[in-house]
Amino acid sequence: MPYHSGRHTLQIPGPTNVPDRILHAIANPTIDHRGPDAAALTRTCLAGMKKIFQTEAEVMIFPGSGTGAWESAVVNTLNAGDKVIAFDGGQFATLWVKTARNFGIDVEFLGGDWHHGANAEELAARLQKDKQHEIRAVFAVHNETSTGVTSNIAALRRAMDAENHPALLMVDTVSSLASIDYRHDEWGVDVTIAGSQKGLMLPPGLAFNAVSAKAAEASKHSTLPKNYWRWDDVRVQNQNGFYPYTPATNLLYGLREAVKMIEEEGLPNVFARHKRLSEATRRAVRAWGLEIFARNPAEYSPSATAIQMPDGHSEVDFRAVVLKNFNMSLGAGLGKLAGKVFRIGHLGSMNELMLAGALCGVEMGFELAGVPHRKGGVAEAMAYLTASAAA
Ligand code: PLP
């Protein structure tokens, strides 16, 4: 790519923009990971992450990606042959299930309509048939990044409780944590899975599990092979601020700063900002005359919007035009949506003018790429952002 002046516009739904404050924090000199400064750093990060997960339960931090956090949840709690329910809601749900199946877990997929989130009634009906309580866990993706659809986790918990079902509830919050209201304790989640590179505004490289007492108990009876992800090893070390291996020290500096920034803004304000930017995006999409992939407004994602391309037009070509002309990256169509949808990320370190610039790039890109649309999407977004601005 030839040099483009100005900043690249990173508008994918993660990894997200890393603010200068966090970049500077990461640039601190690397320290002895077995020394007192490292111990204090880890303890501060663990305490901070409890607030972000809205939990009193234990949190573990691993050097790793979201896929590692899935694997950690699976290998620490389940056994080969265990039955698990998951919802076929998108590419990340599919990949999580693949992870579990690779460990011999017997996963049953419910749903299958990627336009909608996990269906609590369907779950209740399935659990009702499980008189022997053979189902050991329910997997749900809070925000399916490939489709821009959220799932109602509290409703899933209610469905499980209504059936008095003892399965563990495991939730992927890779693209919702610190962007969309998420409550590990209040919603009775047993294992929450997260990564650093989205709402937390960090580069990729940290993976998280928040673990309920029930999941911790299940981990005592899990016989799946594990080493790197072993909760009992990590727990013992973490209590003193250490790890069973070399942690990603500089990312922990970044994490400490990220938590500080989120606390300064206030979690409720962070969630409200994401909602507002996503609403502006959807208004632009409707004005362009294009279709939002998510069908149920109650499930619209505050962190990413997936937009259907008009028939006969590929998102791959469109995104290439936008990248070449305006130096902006938009999210690709993933899995069975490849070629058919593109995604606008509006999560993490994002504000009105960054979003407005991105929407300008999309509208100009439609014109240049010959994608049929109506003009005026940016104007609609601006009108909403103006009308909803704080007085
Ligand atoms: N889960 C969701 C919802 C995601 O969006 C992603 C990645 O984008 C993952 C899991 C996998 O995370 P990673 O790519 O960090 O392994």
Side-chain angles (χ1 to χ4, degrees), residues 40 66 87 156 193 197 233 257 264 271 301 343 362 366:
F87 300 91
L156 298 181
I193 285 122
Q197 72 272 29
D233 288 349
E257 192 64 22
E264 284 171 24
F271 302 146
S301 166
R343 296 168 302 142
V362 171
F366 285 150

Side-chain angles (χ1 to χ4, degrees), residues 3 11 44 47 74 81 99 107 120 161 173 213 249 276 279 326 346 349 351:
Y3 173 72
Q11 212 71 32
T44 306
V74 168
T99 304
V107 186
D161 287 350
T173 64
T249 332
R276 182 161 165 263
E279 176 60 26
F326 304 118
H346 26 73
S349 177
N351 64 28

Side-chain angles (χ1 to χ4, degrees), residues 29-191:
T30 300
I31 51 174
D32 172 9
H33 62 290
R34 302 194 198 281
D37 288 350
L41 176 61
T42 294
R43 286 207 205 91
T44 306
C45 286
L46 287 169
M49 286 307 294
K50 285 190 185 207
K51 294 187 201 153
I52 309 280
F53 281 111
Q54 303 199 50
T55 187
E56 299 294 325
E58 69 180 336
V59 170
M60 296 186 208
I61 306 175
F62 307 89
S65 82
T67 302
W70 280 335
E71 180 166 329
S72 175
V74 168
V75 298
N76 278 291
T77 57
L78 300 174
N79 289 296
D82 276 358
K83 283 194 192 312
V84 164
I85 298 292
F87 300 91
D88 184 9
Q91 182 62 6
F92 291 105
T94 304
L95 292 174
W96 186 7
V97 165
K98 178 170 163 269
T99 304
R101 285 183 175 149
N102 280 337
F103 286 97
I105 307 299
D106 176 8
V107 186
E108 182 180 330
F109 245 157
L110 300 183
D113 173 359
W114 284 20
H115 293 287
H116 293 91
N119 184 323
E121 281 94 62
E122 199 182 356
L123 176 64
R126 179 64 188 85
L127 294 180
Q128 210 164 42
K129 287 196 217 141
D130 183 34
K131 303 285 183 223
Q132 306 302 319
H133 290 168
E134 286 177 345
I135 295 165
R136 307 309 297 255
V138 174
F139 290 180
V141 178
H142 185 211
N143 183 72
E144 181 45 80
T145 327
S146 63
T147 59
V149 174
T150 58
S151 284
N152 186 338
I153 303 302
L156 298 181
R157 169 44 75 196
R158 281 195 296 274
M160 294 170 76
D161 287 350
E163 297 306 324
N164 258 326
H165 200 288
L168 297 169
L169 176 59
M170 304 203 200
V171 179
D172 171 330
T173 64
V174 171
S175 61
S176 60
L177 193 77
S179 302
I180 307 174
D181 194 3
Y182 180 77
R183 304 168 184 220
H184 177 91
D185 284 0
E186 190 180 317
W187 297 346
V189 178
D190 293 298
V191 187

